[in-house]
Amino acid sequence: MTARPTDARRAAVLGSPIAHSLSPVLHRAAYGALGLSEWSYDRFEVDEEALPGFLAELGPEWAGLSLTMPLKRAVIPLVDEITDTAASVEAVNTVVFKEDGRRVGDNTDIPGMVAALRERGIEEVESAAVLGAGATASSALAALARVCTGEVVAYVRSQARAAEMRQWGERLDIEVRTEDWADAEQALRAPLVIATTPAGATDALAASVPERPATLFDVLYDPWPTDLAARWSAYGGAVVSGLDLLVHQAVLQVEQMTGRSPAPLDAMRTAGEHALAAR
């Protein structure tokens, strides 16, 4: 049977660089499991300068977009509205095109982090530590605002970053104390540690993992495991990976873009694992 034009829907991930994004693998796996044979999901190299023109050329067949760096803030003035979740961290990683033509920006990284933690039985912690203070750290604080009942200690490399993290804490209504990165090994004793740093940044901390570590959420997924995650697992601690985050935030994107729920979490994770193993 020939599909009607309205059956063929498009979605994609945009960013720069974008070649190594796993989003196409995850979303296409979801479409396959949901029987959405007419849906397609691609990747496009788009920077901040090119973003307005790219959006202007999209037709009615488009259902949504995933956004990675450096577009998460650049897209905000280009959509019709953003959700409270996206506004809380001034970052949009998802744009959904509504039937009435509105383009709505959302942030699925934050609920994705919460869902990844809950999958491992982490519903609530009394305190937490955050390693790093980049863009992902603000999303981590927003997620912790939903699961942490006490203080969050952020370990950072500069006074400017420390001030930013305290400001995010005030905005998100969560108590944030900052400490120097030189003392980051102290973070490893927290009930929950969220590492938001680039590859290699936490390698030196692996030797300081305590004998009975609690839970580590390392947002990296390639290469995996990180030295810190490997040592953490070896000592019996619970580890949540960047792939867990990527899959859970993609699940929410698929549900919003397709209107189908629940999205096939297991199929998406398996596809991601296979893609990473092939690398």
Side-chain angles (χ1 to χ4, degrees):
M1 178 183 293
T2 302
R4 300 189 308 273
T6 52
D7 290 337
R9 303 302 306 278
R10 297 189 66 184
V13 59
L14 314 181
S16 183
I18 201 63
H20 296 291
S21 173
L22 276 182
S23 291
V25 171
L26 303 182
H27 284 252
R28 291 168 186 169
Y31 298 163
L34 292 170
L36 299 175
S37 60
E38 298 300 323
W39 283 64
S40 63
Y41 189 101
D42 302 295
R43 63 164 70 89
F44 293 95
E45 182 84 15
V46 178
D47 60 16
E48 294 161 291
E49 184 178 355
L51 182 61
F54 185 93
L55 292 175
E57 295 179 0
L58 300 183
E61 74 276 14
W62 283 85
L65 297 169
S66 309
L67 301 170
T68 186
M69 298 305 291
L71 305 179
K72 293 185 179 183
R73 287 193 170 92
V75 76
I76 292 176
L78 303 176
V79 296
D80 297 299
E81 63 183 90
I82 65 173
T83 64
D84 290 343
T85 301
S88 72
V89 291
E90 296 179 359
V92 165
N93 79 325
T94 307
V95 177
V96 178
F97 301 153
K98 301 293 188 178
E99 290 185 1
D100 61 7
R102 288 179 303 122
R103 296 177 175 183
V104 179
D106 194 13
N107 186 308
T108 63
D109 286 332
I110 296 166
M113 282 187 174
V114 174
L117 287 168
R118 286 178 175 165
E119 186 179 35
R120 301 303 175 86
I122 308 299
E123 298 278 349
E124 185 176 285
V125 292
E126 294 181 355
S127 62
V130 174
L131 299 173
T136 307
S138 59
S139 292
L141 288 181
L144 287 170
R146 304 183 183 191
V147 300
C148 183
T149 59
E151 181 183 65
V152 175
V153 184
Y155 291 82
V156 300
R157 295 186 184 276
S158 71
Q159 289 300 314
R161 290 291 197 181
E164 288 177 7
M165 290 295 280
R166 290 192 295 269
Q167 289 170 2
W168 280 117
E170 292 175 5
R171 178 168 179 165
L172 295 163
D173 195 26
I174 185 169
E175 183 182 356
V176 176
R177 174 165 59 89
T178 56
E179 296 288 349
D180 191 89
W181 183 263
D183 299 318
E185 64 181 49
Q186 297 177 10
L188 308 185
R189 303 186 189 95
L192 171 61
V193 181
I194 303 184
T196 70
T197 48
T202 62
D203 288 355
L205 296 176
S208 300
V209 173
E211 288 187 3
R212 292 184 177 86
T215 300
L216 170 68
F217 193 155
D218 195 325
V219 303
L220 295 174
Y221 62 85
D222 188 16
W224 185 262
T226 62
D227 288 357
L228 181 61
R231 180 66 67 91
W232 202 277
S233 294
Y235 280 17
V239 175
V240 185
S241 74
L243 181 60
D244 294 322
L245 167 59
L246 193 65
V247 170
H248 277 284
Q249 65 83 27
V251 160
L252 297 170
Q253 290 182 335
V254 168
E255 291 174 352
Q256 290 190 37
M257 293 179 192
T258 68
R260 302 280 291 274
S261 182
L265 172 69
D266 290 342
M268 295 168 70
R269 176 180 278 125
T270 298
E273 290 171 346
H274 288 168
L276 287 176
R279 293 181 180 180

